[in-house]
Amino acid sequence: MIIGNAARAWAPLAAAFLLAGCAADAAPAGSGQVPPALAGTWSASSAKVDTVGVAAYLPDDPALLGLRLHVAGDSLAMDGHTCKSPAVATETLTLRTLIEETYETSPDAMGVASADVPQPTHFITCGSGDIGPSYDRGSWIAQLSPDLIAMSWFDGVLLILKR
């Protein structure tokens, strides 16, 4: 009888462990809106380029420096790309970690200063649309200061934007 009760209790216990393991591997919990600190219009002031392989752009390419990012609580838009109903997960990471996980080069090769300073980083997944390439955790924006952000962009580009 004891063995029968233990066997019946084992299935729900195993399911709970499996679900807990899946939740631990999932992306960090996110809010339904973009953090208020990112709200407003941002202008690309610099463009760093992953030059490993074929590069579509040059560093500080004029085509990239003309980009403007518009951020509201429920959307982000830039250069014909719009992210609606974003889900945002925030972590504190260094630009070195972000660059090494995102690009095929190092921060030093891209000319990124202060790459080892931890920054609040917002991983963004869109309910519809996109706001840059989608990595394992979504596109990302790192807050370098209240008026300066770094953002992953298409074609191996890292944009630095000013408010």
Side-chain angles (χ1 to χ4, degrees):
M1 183 69 153
I2 292 174
I3 293 174
N5 287 339
R8 281 189 293 276
W10 171 248
L13 182 61
F17 279 120
L18 286 172
L19 289 173
C22 290
D25 287 339
S31 68
Q33 295 212 338
V34 177
L38 294 180
T41 299
W42 300 81
S43 300
S45 61
S46 181
K48 309 299 184 181
V49 178
D50 182 351
T51 57
V52 173
V54 177
Y57 296 100
L58 294 172
D60 291 334
D61 195 304
L64 297 169
L65 297 182
L67 296 176
R68 304 287 178 265
L69 173 67
H70 305 282
V71 181
D74 61 350
S75 70
L76 298 98
M78 182 163 66
D79 193 39
H81 295 268
T82 301
C83 174
K84 294 181 181 174
S85 303
V88 180
T90 302
E91 296 180 39
T92 300
L93 297 169
T94 65
L95 276 178
R96 179 169 306 283
T97 298
L98 291 165
I99 289 169
E100 289 174 352
E101 289 179 2
T102 305
Y103 305 100
E104 295 180 22
T105 191
S106 69
D108 301 326
M110 288 181 96
V112 176
S114 304
D116 295 313
V117 178
Q119 310 290 351
T121 303
H122 309 289
F123 292 94
I124 302 163
T125 54
C126 305
S128 66
D130 65 59
I131 193 64
S134 183
Y135 302 106
D136 290 342
R137 296 182 274 185
S139 298
W140 55 263
I141 296 175
Q143 285 183 251
L144 306 179
S145 74
D147 294 319
L148 191 67
I149 59 175
M151 177 180 178
S152 60
W153 193 241
F154 296 101
D155 300 317
V157 173
L158 172 66
L159 294 174
I160 307 299
L161 299 105
K162 290 183 180 180
R163 191 181 305 273

